[in-house]
Amino acid sequence: MSSKSQLTYTARASKHPNPLVKKLFEIAEAKKTNVTVSADVSTTKELLELADRLGPHIAVIKTHIDILSDFSEETTNGLKALAAKHNFLIFEDRKFIDIGNTVQKQYHGGVLRISEWAHIINCSVLPGEGIVEALAQTAAAADFPYGSERGLLILAEMTSKGSLATGQYTTSSVDYARKYKNFVMGFVSTRSLGEIESAVSSASDEEDFVVFTTGVNLSSKGDKLGQQYQTPESAIGRGADFIIAGRGIYAAADPVEAAKRYQKEAWEAYLARVQG
Ligand code: S5P
């Protein structure tokens, strides 16, 4: 596990050079939550209701904005207002995966205008280093009316059965994160990746990537389509800084009670980790 995993979010916030990561750690500490809810619902009304009800218990809301049947500016204006009201960040799980020229257009512009409202995005590095460079360029060049901080998580591993995001793919994810560390906040991965030897540069003392771990569920081991789950405690124990839970929360009979349960379990696991 990365040596930074033993530090509190406050300690990491105080030293972190990236303002968005700093803000994320500060939110976690202020609200005592390291939960990201994956709000994979299909209408704007459901999404905004969920964001408002779960807002006090989450640090980040993760969207798949293209699965909404009625996406409009009302969706993103509503999300931005709720992010300000409840102090959480917005992560659009678009998983960019294309040549640089295409992802720049997908990130900035188009019908979704993701760069204007999503603090955090993610990408696969299957296309190679150029995808990270292209997204970083777009974020640096744009003048965002809504908050200025933007960050990228590299999808370094996947939770689905038989995932091919392993070995050289994962090592290269770490290489590119180190090379573009002003824009890359960290990884979506199932564990801390800090120890992976990089061809680009070796890990420095200041290196502090944030690990988001998805595939978290308290009552299920997986689904019929290959999703594989672990518990919040197990994810945090393997080095997750933030857990991502979808159906475990939004599909529960009482999503607010479920969010509180994930919040409690993940926060206690974090406290146990930093108290050594
Ligand atoms: O490896 C991954 C990466 C991601 S971002 N496995 C995943 O499941 N995800 C996403 O996390 C997935 O797209 C979905 O939005 C969420 C998991 O949802 P759940 O309902 O299975 O918790």
Side-chain angles (χ1 to χ4, degrees), residues 37-40 62-64 67 91 93-95 122 155 157-160 163 165 188-190 212-217 222-223 227-229 244-251 262:
V37 68
S38 184
D40 299 333
K62 184 174 83 58
T63 53
H64 279 298
I67 66 180
F91 167 15
D93 185 7
R94 172 66 181 76
K95 296 186 184 72
N122 57 355
L155 183 69
E157 293 179 324
M158 289 203 71
T159 56
S160 33
S163 162
V188 174
S189 57
T190 64
F212 280 74
T213 296
T214 180
V216 173
N217 196 303
D223 68 12
Q227 174 68 300
Q228 304 174 113
Y229 288 126
I244 302 178
R247 284 164 286 183
I249 295 179
Y250 73 78
Y262 282 74

Side-chain angles (χ1 to χ4, degrees), residues 2 4-7 9 12 24-25 28 33-35 185 192 208-213 235-236 238-243 266-267 270 273:
S2 135
K4 298 292 186 298
S5 303
Q6 259 73 51
L7 300 178
Y9 296 130
R12 292 169 74 180
L24 175 63
F25 285 144
T33 181
N34 46 18
V35 172
M185 307 164 64
S192 166
D208 186 11
F209 291 118
V210 187
V211 174
F212 280 74
T213 296
I236 302 279
R238 285 164 58 93
D241 297 309
F242 292 84
I243 59 157
W267 193 257
Y270 154 74
R273 188 171 88 189

